[in-house]
Amino acid sequence: MAEKTRPGTTATRQRLLRAAEELFAERGVAATLTREITERAGQGNSSALHYHFGSREGLLNSILSEHQQRVEAALGPALAELVRDAPLAALTRAYVAAEDAELAHDSGRYCLRIVAQLAHETGFRDGAPHRALRDSLLWQLFERVDARLVQDLGVPPDLAKERVESMVMLVGAAFADRARQVQSGRRQAVGGARYCADLTSMLTAMLGAAGDGCFIDEDGAAGPDGEA
């Protein structure tokens, strides 16, 4: 028999999620207190938060999970249409489009501002995915970008991983700023389609930039495009 949900618990859970989204985006994940979340959600104490999410970290993980599910729902069809060795431009275009879809609603805009604060925690450079990214479509995208850098452009594996990390941080910062513009009501000087096309071009150029001297490792050995 399915477990019955207590009256009002779903509404309370949603109020906590929305309050936390706003505060994490506006004040910062590290600076937001549990008490502030419960107060904005109209709760007298933290018992409801602990009932629904176990902890403040559990609440944050739920917000990130909702965001990731929406992004991957947009990303999945695009990735499915791309051949395995699709070029960098096609991969970055799919990534940008999936993140751009979050600008369409307020919850997504808050999440873009939150994710930007955590973009350095993917774990990609170490090969140890953050638990939210393990076996995810986003991680598959990162791996495909990494493969193109190494196999097609001769970027050394360690530098390729650094480039992927930089891509994630740049996309996070770009869309967080875009979200703030929308939420503040400021006029956007560049329209959405043009902005995404330009961001895609910039990412592709950054990822595929010539290595020059940086392809020589610390011991003086040359990378695939360098000379010993």
Side-chain angles (χ1 to χ4, degrees):
M1 181 181 295
E3 183 179 352
K4 292 184 178 180
T5 302
R6 295 191 308 181
T9 56
T10 300
T12 299
R13 186 178 192 278
Q14 288 302 311
R15 283 197 297 271
L16 287 164
L17 283 167
R18 303 293 81 85
E21 280 178 356
E22 294 173 10
L23 287 165
F24 287 151
E26 294 167 358
R27 290 177 50 79
V29 172
T32 298
L33 303 176
T34 300
R35 172 180 52 79
E36 294 172 319
I37 297 171
T38 56
E39 287 178 355
R40 183 168 294 198
Q43 302 299 304
N45 54 55
S46 62
S47 60
L49 187 152
H50 291 292
Y51 171 78
H52 288 286
F53 305 103
S55 65
R56 177 183 174 282
E57 182 179 4
L59 174 56
L60 174 61
N61 288 338
S62 292
I63 291 171
L64 296 176
S65 177
E66 285 190 1
H67 167 74
Q68 185 170 321
Q69 288 172 21
R70 294 191 302 264
V71 168
E72 295 202 348
L75 179 63
L79 282 185
E81 292 180 0
L82 296 178
V83 295
R84 187 63 193 171
D85 58 350
L88 276 178
L91 294 169
T92 56
R93 186 178 303 113
Y95 184 27
V96 167
E99 295 289 351
D100 180 64
E102 285 288 83
L103 288 171
H105 52 95
D106 223 32
S107 182
R109 292 187 282 265
Y110 282 126
C111 284
L112 288 170
R113 294 169 63 182
I114 295 168
V115 168
Q117 301 172 51
L118 308 171
H120 62 287
E121 297 180 6
T122 65
F124 193 79
R125 67 166 55 90
D126 302 316
H130 186 282
R131 60 180 174 276
L133 292 171
R134 192 174 296 116
D135 300 321
S136 69
L137 288 177
L138 281 168
W139 192 264
Q140 290 178 33
L141 173 76
F142 301 160
E143 290 182 324
R144 291 177 71 171
V145 170
D146 179 70
R148 299 280 62 78
L149 293 176
V150 174
Q151 296 172 19
D152 298 349
L153 302 178
V155 179
D158 56 344
L159 290 180
K161 287 181 169 51
E162 292 291 343
R163 290 188 181 195
V164 173
E165 288 275 11
S166 295
M167 174 189 73
V168 175
M169 288 187 280
L170 178 55
V171 169
F175 278 108
D177 181 64
R178 196 79 171 167
R180 279 189 290 270
Q181 290 182 43
V182 173
Q183 290 180 317
S184 69
R186 281 183 291 162
R187 177 183 173 274
Q188 293 179 320
V190 179
R194 187 171 172 226
Y195 180 84
C196 287
D198 185 65
L199 180 58
T200 297
S201 296
M202 184 168 58
L203 288 170
T204 304
M206 178 198 77
L207 287 164
D212 297 327
C214 71
F215 278 13
I216 299 176
D217 66 24
E218 294 175 357
D219 297 323
D225 74 339
E227 297 180 359

